[in-house]
Amino acid sequence: QVQLVESGGGLVQAGESLTLSCAVTGDTFSTYATGWFRQTPGQARELVAAFKWNAGNVCYADSVQERFHIGRDTTKTTGYLQINSLNPEDSAVYYCAVRPWFWRSNPGEYDSWGQGTQVTVSS
């Protein structure tokens, strides 16, 4: 069974950068689409970035297009989300999730989730 673990969150100042990691066990990312979501209290989970490992396809939400960047390691077991020029509106719990084949924006269509990592940006 696929298990995901996020790490790398923390408290940062506005303008700084942060890199989140998503490690998978029980399989590799090869055959999955992986989504990065974020959620603030009382709000639905929002897809901010996604990638399809084998195809090399990457997408970003319009709101983060210039500041978020996806990275991957060669073992296909760890994905990264680099966030630049952080602002207080980026404060949220960030999750990674996987589903077969291609990504979807609906979080309900993902099969496995990590526990999330909190990012807090102070102004």
Side-chain angles (χ1 to χ4, degrees), residues 9-103:
L11 173 63
V12 296
Q13 299 282 334
E16 294 182 342
S17 298
L18 205 59
T19 298
L20 309 181
S21 300
C22 175
V24 64
T25 58
D27 204 337
T28 69
F29 284 117
S30 296
T31 59
Y32 296 99
T34 304
W36 281 98
F37 290 80
R38 66 184 180 186
Q39 187 174 28
T40 55
Q43 300 297 315
R45 290 184 184 182
E46 171 195 20
L47 181 70
V48 293
F51 66 95
K52 175 65 177 174
W53 202 293
N54 281 354
N57 302 116
V58 177
C59 81
Y60 300 98
D62 290 342
S63 59
V64 305
Q65 184 78 27
E66 301 296 327
R67 300 187 297 114
F68 285 33
H69 299 284
I70 282 179
R72 300 163 286 174
D73 77 343
T74 57
T75 67
K76 300 183 179 181
T77 60
T78 304
Y80 304 97
L81 182 68
Q82 180 180 343
I83 310 174
N84 298 320
S85 302
L86 281 153
N87 59 67
E89 289 69 39
D90 294 319
S91 297
V93 179
Y94 284 74
Y95 300 88
C96 62
V98 296
R99 69 180 308 280
W101 302 116
F102 213 69
W103 59 70

